[in-house]
Amino acid sequence: MTTQGTEQGTEYDVVVAGAGPVGLFLAAELRLGGALRVLVVERLTEVDETIKAGWINHPSVVALNRRGLLPELAAVREAVQERLRAFQGVSDGDGTTERPRFAGHFAGIMLDPELFDDSGPEWADADPAAGPGLVLPQAELERALGRWAERLGVEVRRGVELTGFTQDADGVAVQLDERTVRAGWLVGCDGGRSTVRRLAGFAFPGTAPEITGYQALAELSGVERLKAGWNTTDVGTYVHGPFPGRVLTVEFDSPPADRYAPVTAEELEASLRRVSGVPEVRVTGVRTATRFTDNARQATEYRRGRVLLAGDAAHVHSPFGGQGLNLGLGDALNLGWKLAAVVGGRAPESLLDTYTAERHPIGAWVLDWTRAQIALMRPDRHARALRRVVEDLAGSGTGTTYLVNRVSGVWQRYDLPGGHPLTGASAPDLPLSDGTRLGEHLHTGRPLLLGLTGSPAPDTLTAPYADRLTVLTTTCPTRPTLKALLVRPDGFVAWAADTDGEEDEDGLAAALERWVGGSGAGARALTRA
């Protein structure tokens, strides 16, 4: 996927710093949205195999499915399930194995999927492929997104480091090692130590770290007394599994002196022994390992001029609950089509202001969600007393359902203009009368105007947007009172109407003008269809 370097002075619409999942997803979304020249630069020469996130939540699965990517990941998902079955010894009693069920955890308190109630309105017409989420290694997701970006024509150059940039009213001059390229926009997806964020001068306030954590795939011996799953002790927390050799430890004495130094077998073994209280456990080799802390910070804004941030470059926090990867994918999905519309001249730069407005509150929630888990994991008596209360709540159907709903991300929505309950929510994956589902019509990354009365929308409505809007007229047997939806490229509802509701012609016209762009003349007639 690596291509030859460009000549000095080459123009790009967008340069993306960082070829992790967030940077690759963003680059692909930019291409879907019509940005012609997208360059991704990455200092690493290969996909980072360090064990990181292993869970993608409901919005992330929905986003991947709406781009037609889940079938490509099916084999990876099944291989992961086989490893889970082998470690957990899950069997249905007659020698055949069943798929392990997983509902997530909160501060290491495992949530029982049998107690989870998905009959609430949050799950009405939810994408059936998603559920609360999927277990999927981050490196495998990164590879799949890399292949997708390549198919879409994204230029990815590995082994190239962004070392500086300057911006003016017309664009950004980006220094890549010894060469300079010119771009209209620069997006930092370059992680928690983001060079882009630092050089652009983004404020990055938050709370300082207090823990040292290790996560590793290692060669282990003497593990017979290690308990599987999440375990709290008088010292901290440790995890054994859900795959052979996977361990995690958390200690609350202080943050590490050097977070980024190589993790040695001796260091990992000492931590595992201290936290687990099992002195015979040995770490004889380290396949992949990383340190982490609970440093929690968020950029006060996600855009400064022609420079933007997404993913860990915009927000950092502890990894508990696997929220970081999912938060970054949501950033990329929200920003990609908006920046492409600005690049293509279909929207004013002010559209980019909605990126911070919509994504910053969700990022702030995630930071507090992880801080709450740290508070429950502390080994002091007050925290342990509070933990027992939360364990009791999590052991109830109501408590489990609340926590799963929050961990899954199914609650996420944006504060958009309009009074319909669906406005601002992720579009329901409606089954349509032609045998398709709504999500299948979002593979191209175009906005979708969906009429559900069976009458075609008049040309006077759709003509001004014919080059950028998918129009579909059908019916939905499960939602007979829903009249029409305008769905943004990121899958969120920009406008909706019911058959028994008041006419909202002005609201539809405003939504088309705001989110689709171009002339809105004649946008008055869908509610009469």
Side-chain angles (χ1 to χ4, degrees):
M1 189 169 67
T2 302
T3 61
Q4 293 297 318
T6 59
E7 297 291 333
Q8 182 166 338
T10 298
E11 294 276 351
Y12 289 94
D13 293 324
V14 183
V15 169
V16 178
V22 176
L24 292 169
F25 194 36
L26 173 63
E29 288 294 305
L30 287 165
R31 286 288 292 148
L32 277 182
L36 299 179
R37 299 157 300 177
V38 180
L39 171 66
V40 180
V41 295
E42 170 58 56
R43 65 177 181 83
L44 299 178
T45 58
E46 302 290 342
V47 171
D48 187 0
E49 299 290 347
T50 303
I51 184 169
K52 295 181 181 178
W55 161 268
I56 53 174
N57 67 6
H58 180 84
S60 296
V61 181
V62 168
L64 295 174
N65 200 30
R66 286 173 174 173
R67 296 300 187 251
L69 295 176
L70 281 191
E72 185 173 345
L73 294 166
V76 174
R77 293 160 54 198
E78 184 55 36
V80 170
Q81 293 293 341
E82 287 293 338
R83 293 173 67 193
L84 285 169
R85 284 190 284 260
F87 184 79
Q88 297 175 3
V90 178
S91 172
D92 65 4
D94 62 1
T96 60
T97 56
E98 63 181 23
R99 184 181 300 272
R101 299 186 65 192
F102 179 65
H105 73 88
F106 182 74
I109 302 169
M110 301 307 297
L111 304 175
D112 185 350
E114 299 298 330
L115 295 175
F116 171 54
D117 180 6
D118 64 357
S119 65
E122 303 91 344
W123 299 97
D125 293 313
D127 188 327
L134 294 175
V135 177
L136 185 69
Q138 180 169 321
E140 296 299 333
L141 176 61
E142 184 175 325
R143 290 189 180 92
L145 292 174
R147 293 189 293 268
W148 183 46
E150 183 178 29
R151 292 195 297 269
L152 291 172
V154 173
E155 180 182 352
V156 179
R157 291 204 279 140
R158 290 187 173 274
V160 176
E161 187 166 5
L162 183 150
T163 56
F165 61 85
T166 58
Q167 65 168 308
D168 54 40
D170 300 318
V172 188
V174 184
Q175 185 75 29
L176 304 176
D177 291 330
E178 301 303 318
R179 288 181 274 186
T180 301
V181 299
R182 182 77 180 176
W185 300 85
L186 170 65
V187 185
C189 301
D190 50 343
R193 294 186 291 171
S194 170
T195 299
V196 173
R197 183 188 67 232
R198 176 175 55 83
L199 294 180
F202 285 89
F204 202 49
T207 51
E210 62 179 65
I211 71 170
T212 293
Y214 298 92
Q215 184 169 209
L217 282 176
E219 304 297 330
L220 304 174
S221 63
V223 298
E224 292 77 15
R225 289 178 55 207
L226 284 183
K227 297 179 180 178
W230 287 77
N231 303 276
T232 58
T233 71
D234 292 339
V235 177
T237 296
Y238 79 92
V239 182
H240 182 211
F243 309 123
R246 190 259 181 164
V247 290
L248 179 150
T249 66
V250 181
E251 298 182 76
F252 285 80
D253 50 354
S254 64
D258 184 355
R259 179 179 171 185
Y260 300 101
V263 177
T264 66
E266 294 76 14
E267 180 184 4
L268 183 61
E269 178 180 288
S271 179
L272 187 55
R273 287 181 172 185
R274 281 194 300 270
V275 179
S276 69
V278 179
E280 60 267 31
V281 67
R282 292 287 311 280
V283 177
T284 58
V286 177
R287 293 170 54 192
T288 173
T290 184
R291 295 180 192 84
F292 63 87
T293 74
D294 58 327
N295 182 38
R297 299 184 182 279
Q298 183 180 24
T300 55
E301 55 187 343
Y302 291 177
R303 176 194 171 198
R304 298 199 73 187
R306 288 181 170 266
V307 179
L308 300 106
L309 303 176
D312 289 350
H315 34 68
V316 295
H317 50 81
S318 73
F320 301 123
Q323 296 290 330
L325 171 61
N326 297 291
L327 184 58
L329 293 175
D331 291 346
L333 186 66
N334 187 284
L335 175 60
W337 67 273
K338 295 175 180 177
L339 184 52
V342 172
V343 166
R346 301 185 306 276
E349 288 188 18
S350 59
L351 179 64
L352 298 176
D353 296 337
T354 67
Y355 170 53
T356 297
E358 292 175 5
R359 294 302 301 172
H360 197 278
I362 294 178
W365 178 88
V366 167
L367 263 66
D368 276 348
W369 186 256
T370 59
R371 289 182 179 116
Q373 292 180 79
I374 291 294
L376 280 182
M377 294 170 70
R378 291 189 182 115
D380 64 83
R381 292 184 66 180
H382 292 84
R384 290 300 161 87
L386 180 60
R387 184 181 183 88
R388 287 190 289 272
V389 173
V390 176
E391 286 174 335
D392 285 345
L393 293 172
S396 68
T398 300
T400 290
T401 299
Y402 168 80
L403 291 170
V404 171
N405 284 346
R406 303 304 280 182
V407 169
S408 72
V410 71
W411 58 272
Q412 294 179 12
R413 61 184 300 144
Y414 301 136
D415 184 14
L416 303 185
H420 194 280
L422 287 177
T423 301
S426 181
D429 194 42
L430 301 174
L432 305 177
S433 57
D434 62 0
T436 64
R437 302 187 74 94
L438 184 150
E440 297 175 50
H441 300 279
L442 298 174
H443 287 189
T444 62
R446 289 161 62 99
L448 172 66
L449 184 58
L450 180 64
L452 294 171
T453 63
S455 300
D459 290 342
T460 52
L461 172 69
T462 60
Y465 310 100
D467 63 337
R468 69 201 69 173
L469 176 68
T470 298
V471 180
L472 178 63
T473 301
T474 182
T475 59
C476 174
T478 63
R479 298 288 286 268
T481 63
L482 187 58
K483 190 171 190 177
L485 293 174
L486 176 62
V487 183
R488 303 191 320 187
D490 58 2
F492 282 77
V493 177
W495 172 88
D498 292 327
T499 55
D500 57 355
E502 296 182 3
E503 299 284 324
D504 188 19
E505 298 173 6
D506 291 338
L508 173 58
L512 285 167
E513 185 73 21
R514 180 179 180 86
W515 304 115
V516 182
S519 173
R524 295 288 187 273
L526 180 63
T527 52
R528 300 193 185 99

